[in-house]
Amino acid sequence: MALSAQDELRIGELVVRYAAAVTAGNAEQWGSTWAKDSTWHLRTKAVTGRDSIVALWRQLLPMYESILQLVTRGRLAEAGGVHGEWQVVEILRRAGSDHDCLQVITYSDRYVREAEQWLFAERRLNVRYRREMPAGEFLAQSPAR
């Protein structure tokens, strides 16, 4: 199967929707990016099944006061399925912390098409860089125009 330009656009939109849901702390939107039988790899832990993945995320989310994810670049490949790799910059603050953490993450993905949309079949998080820094100020989003 050859990826069309439209498929590439939709997969890029999926990645951005995921990051926007992380930033907003929106579990419903975040969960909608995962395929039913997907797997999420977090360092030494792997969780399978959208419901289990979302349940874990709901457990982890209260550990953070704020998270901001910025998608910087990505690439897609077709070799035994549709795969991608994305670099993401993340600024986060743990609940009750007096400092922030800057991370550069690589997500290694496998995608599947379900019900006419692209979803994550597998997503592997790999932190490439981490630095604690003085706390900045997370500002409320302006309403959409």
Side-chain angles (χ1 to χ4, degrees):
M1 169 178 97
L3 276 179
S4 69
Q6 187 73 5
D7 289 327
E8 290 184 18
L9 177 65
R10 295 293 176 242
I11 292 170
E13 289 171 348
L14 169 70
V15 172
V16 169
R17 188 164 44 108
Y18 175 101
V22 168
T23 298
N26 186 325
E28 185 176 321
Q29 180 181 341
W30 188 83
S32 74
T33 64
W34 294 94
K36 184 178 181 195
D37 297 322
S38 52
T39 302
W40 188 26
H41 299 271
L42 292 165
R43 295 187 188 124
T44 60
K45 183 176 191 142
V47 181
T48 299
R50 179 176 45 225
D51 292 343
S52 296
I53 290 168
V54 173
L56 176 61
W57 195 67
R58 286 181 190 271
Q59 285 179 330
L60 297 175
L61 198 56
M63 295 171 46
Y64 300 94
E65 181 179 312
S66 295
I67 304 174
L68 174 62
Q69 277 197 349
L70 306 167
V71 179
T72 62
R73 70 159 187 84
R75 63 184 174 91
L76 299 174
E78 296 176 81
V82 180
H83 299 267
E85 186 172 277
W86 299 84
Q87 298 295 319
V88 174
V89 174
E90 185 173 67
I91 301 169
L92 53 88
R93 182 178 305 142
R94 287 194 174 267
S97 179
D98 64 350
H99 62 274
D100 293 340
C101 182
L102 171 68
Q103 298 187 136
V104 177
I105 299 167
T106 299
Y107 281 112
S108 298
D109 301 330
R110 186 170 53 85
Y111 312 99
V112 64
R113 196 172 168 100
E114 286 183 1
E116 300 302 313
Q117 65 176 340
W118 287 100
L119 300 170
F120 296 111
E122 187 171 11
R123 187 151 235 223
R124 184 178 304 271
L125 181 147
N126 185 22
V127 177
R128 308 290 297 184
Y129 174 84
R130 174 180 288 147
R131 179 188 169 124
E132 291 186 2
M133 59 189 190
E137 184 176 355
F138 286 93
L139 305 173
Q141 284 185 297
S142 300
R145 293 180 192 216

